[in-house]
Amino acid sequence: MDMLTQIIFNSLIAGAIYALVALGFNLIYGATKFFNFAHGSIAIAGGYATFYFNKILGVDVYLSVLLGILCAGFLGYISNKLVFSPLRKKKSSHMIFMVASLGILIVIQAVISLIFTSEFQTLSSSLASSKKYIFLTGIITKTQLILFLSVLLIMGLLVLVLKKTMLGKTISAISDSEEIARNIGINSNRVISYVFVIGSAIAGVAGIFVGFDTGISPTMGMSLLLKGVIASIIGGVGNVYGGVLAAFMLGLIENFGVWNFSGEWKDAISFAVLILFLLFRPQGMFGKK
Amino acid sequence: MEYFIHIGIVFFIYAILAVSLNLVVGYTGLLSLAHAAFFGIGAYATAILLTKYNINFFVSAGVGMGLAGMASLFIGIVLSKFKDDYYALASLGFNVIVCSFFINLDSITGGVIGIPGIKKPSFFGLEIHSNFAYLILALVFFVIIFLVSRFIVQSSFGRALRAIRDDENALAVFGYKVLNFKLVIFVISAMMAAIAGSLFASYITYIDPSIFTITESVFILTIIILGGLSSLRGSLLGALFLILLPEYLRILGLPNDTAAQVRQIIYGLALIFLMLYRPKGLVGEYEMK
């Protein structure tokens, strides 16, 4: 087994998870223009919902995954319905949205800890994770392979929805300017509600995969979200492809950095990258000035 | 009685943190989520100097202030390039980076385990043994910091800060060096937080990196938002309320772990409801823009 190949594999897996978070985050940010801190905790909530159905109620694995995704989507829906939509009606500033989303993050995190304790939980044994493939000179588990392929699938589907359907076109109209979109008769409240459901469901997929891959704990939401945010900023906020590419890049930088330094520096490395980007290339890798 | 003294000491420490953060967030309009980092720098300076080098508490507090001052000067210069949500995100990043130093420089900081057995301060050869004496010490520091803050807020410097918050460009047009104003207040605030850290470390006698994470920064922010931005009185009110909250929960007879989570849920909900219905907080004079 070759170290280099293994690091690249690990980076791809981490990148795939970050890409999912970035996809959902970008979608919501595009339509609402605020940093939704609740996004990461909703991802983790999706993972815990799957854990609950599969490990506690004994529901079939694939059905549990589906239910987990639905739960995440539902959380996105109610957070918009109860908090963000009323704030939009009051024309609150972006900072107020952001602080409110911090509040939601704290609440979801604490509720999860109350129900499941703050210990690490893992989903892995329920999806033949013992099966390993040796590919080139590295090892990749079946779970990781499924994860990687589903990210590509979800990304493809999302691009298709955004480019080809009426919903996709209204979403991009709202992202360009909510006011104009409203003026030409788009029901922006309803579309933003869809955006929250879809974006949160995608985040839920990420949380579920973290559960299968390394295991989840209630407070992981914040760091997961930050990786997604960092990826979407590096890729250029609102740029779907850029965000995904940057997520994989972030995975590489982190894993190579960890190889050189130590595991505990991981978060510091990604933030250093973010701050450097914000300073010298705020429009992201692919953005135009 | 001991119990009320304990509450009193914790209250003074958090009142110092809240008042100093309000200078930056409330009066100058910079949403910083890095306050716990400076709190931590002060705490570590005192912990290390007291346990390893047997240096006087007041000297160690001075060293902590100096280190926090230097760190905040650097961080403040970088942050001055950002606005609003990007400012908040980048400041949060710095908190993570500073925390990584606490974790990774384990030869001096003790890594994840932290530093146990921190001594109580001694004063001209007299060691402060009783908690009551410690209460007086904390009170003295608090009063000094409160008076300094009030002086700053009421001075022409403080008026300039509020003007920066309300319309930075206008002030720049009048020839004010806006950057210098922002840096000075950021550094002062960080040094005050470091004092709170020194008091905290030698009172609790045990510190580890998990105390100074972004969750703590969000907690201090919650205190000042609840009390009201741009109001020193409000910060005291907010600190009193949120410090007493876990005590109420104890009276209700909840087990410790549950109480900790319920407390989180309450302060998360408080943030959400404040943003929805009273973004100015209890007695605040300024609403986030």
Side-chain angles (χ1 to χ4, degrees):
Chain A
M1 190 181 62
D2 178 15
M3 194 70 182
L4 190 68
T5 328
Q6 195 60 52
I7 290 176
I8 292 176
F9 280 177
N10 291 348
S11 312
L12 287 178
I13 301 304
I17 291 171
Y18 301 161
L20 284 174
V21 182
L23 273 178
F25 177 82
N26 252 336
L27 204 61
I28 296 175
Y29 186 88
T32 57
K33 303 287 184 286
F34 77 94
F35 278 9
N36 183 8
F37 277 103
H39 196 64
S41 59
I42 289 179
I44 293 298
Y48 271 99
T50 302
F51 173 82
Y52 178 75
F53 288 115
N54 183 240
K55 291 282 170 96
I56 296 177
L57 299 184
V59 178
D60 170 71
V61 139
Y62 294 97
L63 186 61
S64 302
V65 168
L66 189 70
L67 288 169
I69 297 172
L70 288 177
C71 280
F74 179 69
L75 277 178
Y77 173 77
I78 49 173
S79 68
N80 176 53
K81 182 91 185 161
L82 296 180
V83 181
F84 301 128
S85 176
L87 286 178
R88 239 185 341 267
K89 273 195 199 102
K90 293 184 177 186
K91 301 201 185 312
S92 302
S93 76
H94 293 162
M95 302 311 271
I96 288 184
F97 273 90
M98 195 176 84
V99 173
S101 76
L102 271 174
I104 299 177
L105 162 91
I106 293 167
V107 172
I108 293 180
Q109 201 168 284
V111 169
I112 294 176
S113 311
L114 261 187
I115 304 174
F116 299 97
T117 75
S118 10
E119 267 158 51
F120 239 78
Q121 307 284 6
T122 171
L123 287 161
S124 60
S125 62
S126 42
L127 192 77
S129 69
S130 52
K131 207 162 181 183
K132 291 190 175 72
Y133 302 100
I134 298 189
F135 185 65
L136 290 175
T137 46
I139 293 172
I140 191 161
T141 64
K142 190 180 171 192
T143 323
Q144 293 178 324
L145 201 65
I146 296 178
L147 161 65
F148 193 69
L149 294 176
S150 18
V151 172
L152 297 184
L153 186 74
I154 290 171
M155 212 173 69
L157 276 176
L158 189 66
V159 169
L160 220 67
V161 169
L162 288 179
K163 297 276 170 196
K164 299 288 177 197
T165 66
M166 199 56 208
L167 177 65
K169 284 172 186 155
T170 45
I171 290 175
S172 69
I174 288 174
S175 301
D176 288 342
S177 162
E178 202 204 323
E179 213 172 315
I180 294 175
R182 247 204 323 264
N183 287 345
I184 59 169
I186 292 174
N187 183 345
S188 67
N189 275 330
R190 183 187 297 163
V191 177
I192 288 176
S193 174
Y194 290 147
V195 165
F196 268 96
V197 173
I198 299 171
S200 305
I202 296 175
V205 179
I208 293 166
F209 274 119
V210 175
F212 279 114
D213 191 36
T214 58
I216 41 177
S217 69
T219 50
M220 272 172 95
M222 186 66 141
S223 90
L224 195 60
L225 165 84
L226 292 173
K227 300 305 164 57
V229 174
I230 293 171
S232 55
I233 286 175
I234 296 177
V237 176
N239 180 340
V240 175
Y241 313 99
V244 171
L245 212 66
F248 284 107
M249 211 182 78
L250 187 65
L252 277 171
I253 294 175
E254 263 188 9
N255 280 286
F256 274 99
V258 168
W259 186 37
N260 270 322
F261 304 104
S262 90
E264 299 291 349
W265 285 107
K266 216 177 194 174
D267 290 349
I269 295 169
S270 19
F271 268 110
V273 172
L274 168 76
I275 290 167
L276 288 175
F277 255 94
L278 286 178
L279 281 177
F280 300 108
R281 227 184 134 70
Q283 75 276 31
M285 264 190 308
F286 314 104
K288 291 171 252 5
K289 265 236 153 117
Chain B
M1 198 57 209
E2 272 301 291
Y3 173 72
F4 289 104
I5 292 173
H6 166 75
I7 301 279
I9 296 171
V10 175
F11 166 73
F12 287 134
I13 291 173
Y14 277 89
I16 293 174
L17 288 171
V19 164
S20 56
L21 183 64
N22 210 341
L23 293 178
V24 170
V25 180
Y27 288 92
T28 322
L30 305 169
L31 186 57
S32 166
L33 286 168
H35 215 51
F38 306 123
F39 179 40
I41 290 176
Y44 269 97
T46 290
I48 293 166
L49 292 177
L50 250 62
T51 48
K52 292 198 177 154
Y53 301 97
N54 214 1
I55 286 173
N56 181 286
F57 170 80
F58 296 94
V59 177
S60 79
V63 172
M65 281 171 73
L67 288 173
M70 284 189 286
S72 62
L73 183 64
F74 171 75
I75 293 173
I77 289 174
V78 176
L79 288 180
S80 68
K81 311 279 183 216
F82 307 129
K83 275 206 161 74
D84 302 340
D85 24 14
Y86 284 89
Y87 187 99
L89 182 67
S91 66
L92 202 135
F94 277 114
N95 200 337
V96 173
I97 292 173
V98 171
C99 258
S100 303
F101 279 105
F102 296 153
I103 297 172
N104 288 296
L105 300 178
D106 32 0
S107 58
I108 46 172
T109 61
V112 277
I113 299 155
I115 303 176
I118 304 162
K119 275 179 260 165
K120 290 270 190 302
S122 54
F123 202 44
F124 298 120
L126 248 103
E127 199 173 327
I128 296 185
H129 277 300
S130 75
N131 277 352
F132 182 72
Y134 208 90
L135 181 73
I136 303 295
L137 180 76
L139 172 69
V140 169
F141 272 111
F142 163 72
V143 169
I144 294 171
I145 284 171
F146 187 81
L147 291 178
V148 170
S149 301
R150 206 174 62 177
F151 175 74
I152 291 174
V153 167
Q154 290 171 348
S155 67
S156 60
F157 178 73
R159 278 196 298 280
L161 293 180
R162 284 193 290 277
I164 289 174
R165 177 191 73 194
D166 295 334
D167 191 345
E168 188 176 320
N169 294 335
L171 209 67
V173 168
F174 285 114
Y176 282 84
K177 295 239 180 316
V178 172
L179 172 64
N180 294 352
F181 280 81
K182 285 185 188 170
L183 280 181
V184 169
I185 197 64
F186 194 70
V187 170
I188 292 176
S189 155
M191 288 164 89
M192 290 173 170
I195 295 179
S198 296
L199 286 171
F200 180 84
S202 72
Y203 175 61
I204 304 289
T205 72
Y206 173 78
I207 57 166
D208 71 72
S210 70
I211 302 168
F212 308 106
T213 57
I214 39 187
T215 315
E216 186 69 9
S217 286
V218 175
F219 178 65
I220 306 167
L221 183 73
T222 311
I223 292 179
I224 65 169
I225 287 179
L226 173 67
L229 293 178
S230 207
S231 158
L232 296 180
R233 217 159 33 93
S235 292
L236 303 188
L237 212 63
L240 190 66
F241 187 81
L242 285 181
I243 293 302
L244 287 179
L245 181 64
E247 311 305 325
Y248 297 134
L249 295 176
R250 193 169 310 171
I251 294 167
L252 287 178
L254 292 173
N256 260 344
D257 195 43
T258 315
Q261 302 307 337
V262 172
R263 172 184 155 219
Q264 299 262 344
I265 293 175
I266 294 175
Y267 88 67
L269 287 177
L271 272 184
I272 298 171
F273 280 105
L274 283 167
M275 291 302 103
L276 278 171
Y277 303 111
R278 204 175 162 81
K280 277 184 180 172
L282 296 175
V283 293
E285 283 154 23
Y286 164 68
E287 191 173 312
M288 271 177 287
K289 277 197 300 267

